[in-house]
Amino acid sequence: MARDRVKSEDAVRQILRHIGEDPEREGLERTPTRVVKAFEFLTRGYDQDPKVAINGALFTEEDYQEMILCRDLDFYSLCEHHLLPFMGKAHIAYLPNRHIIGLSKIARMVEIYARRLQVQERLTTQIAHTIMEEIAPLGVAVVLEAEHLCMRMRGVEKQNSYVTTSAMLGRFRTHVETRQEFMNLLRNGKG
């Protein structure tokens, strides 16, 4: 690990030189270490298994089959194309089928997947498929709304742009009424 850290810090120094900076000047001399530590923190999801995070938080609830919605879950990720942040809100609903999951585990799963190099589309489907596989609900709906700094700071520089992605599985895909109820709950929660 120490050897990897040294190589990573050297790579940051190379980037600083590439942009015309002196990595040895006072303000930058500790920057390579800070950058490597920051990337370790921002990508810590690689060291965690979202399925393990869910494990042990499944509860039998035979009679409840109505929608459960966790909305406005903040997430922060890094775009795998530019290594720039994208952040936003996750809205996740499921229809239980004899099992419910501890609500904090849904937020934890979002965090684990988000703390990897990502594209928003993959992040959306990873969350939906993991819930579907692990608790076998009647359906899962995931909507992510995010702002991408790769679109705001560089390239097209569109300051007020947001990206919305969705994944609908099970009854959310096959039953228009269920999907519409989910979308209405999201709209009605906007202030």
Side-chain angles (χ1 to χ4, degrees):
M1 185 72 157
R3 179 179 277 164
D4 290 344
R5 169 77 58 90
V6 169
K7 286 182 180 180
S8 297
E9 290 176 9
D10 285 343
V12 174
R13 284 185 194 86
Q14 285 295 95
I15 291 170
L16 290 172
R17 285 186 196 96
H18 176 75
I19 64 172
E21 272 292 353
D22 174 11
E24 306 308 319
R25 76 172 170 83
E26 181 183 1
L28 292 176
E29 63 187 351
R30 293 178 52 203
T31 296
T33 301
R34 290 185 191 109
V35 169
V36 170
K37 285 181 179 178
F39 271 91
E40 289 170 351
F41 178 81
L42 295 171
T43 60
R44 68 186 186 270
Y46 287 115
D47 297 326
Q48 301 168 322
D49 183 345
K51 294 176 182 182
V52 171
I54 292 172
N55 193 20
L58 293 178
F59 307 100
T60 302
E61 191 61 48
E62 295 286 339
D63 297 328
Y64 193 84
Q65 293 185 345
E66 299 300 320
M67 189 180 308
I68 297 171
L69 170 63
C70 293
R71 54 171 296 125
D72 295 326
L73 299 170
D74 292 322
F75 71 88
Y76 301 89
S77 194
L78 291 174
C79 164
E80 70 180 32
H81 301 136
H82 303 99
L83 300 184
L84 289 173
F86 70 95
M87 70 285 293
K89 305 277 186 195
H91 315 291
I92 301 164
Y94 73 98
L95 294 168
N97 184 17
R98 296 188 308 273
H99 294 98
I100 59 173
I101 185 173
L103 298 176
S104 67
K105 300 304 183 179
I106 293 173
R108 185 78 186 112
M109 183 183 47
V110 171
E111 176 78 8
I112 290 169
Y113 280 128
R115 294 302 186 160
R116 300 173 180 188
L117 299 183
Q118 279 288 10
V119 294
Q120 184 173 332
E121 297 86 347
R122 182 186 321 119
L123 178 57
T124 306
T125 58
Q126 284 176 328
I127 294 165
H129 287 289
T130 300
I131 293 171
M132 198 68 168
E133 291 165 9
E134 293 302 305
I135 65 172
L138 300 172
V140 176
V142 176
V143 170
L144 300 186
E145 301 172 305
E147 55 185 299
H148 292 249
L149 294 189
C150 59
M151 282 185 63
R152 291 187 177 201
M153 293 178 65
R154 56 156 307 281
V156 295
E157 296 185 70
K158 297 301 177 200
Q159 299 308 307
N160 297 306
S161 61
Y162 286 86
V163 176
T164 302
T165 53
S166 68
M168 306 289 166
L169 303 176
R171 285 202 184 152
F172 287 95
R173 179 179 291 262
T174 60
H175 290 73
V176 174
E177 303 84 11
T178 304
R179 185 170 49 253
Q180 192 59 49
E181 179 185 352
F182 170 67
M183 300 309 285
N184 286 341
L185 287 170
L186 286 184
R187 270 194 295 277
N188 292 339
K190 300 280 183 199

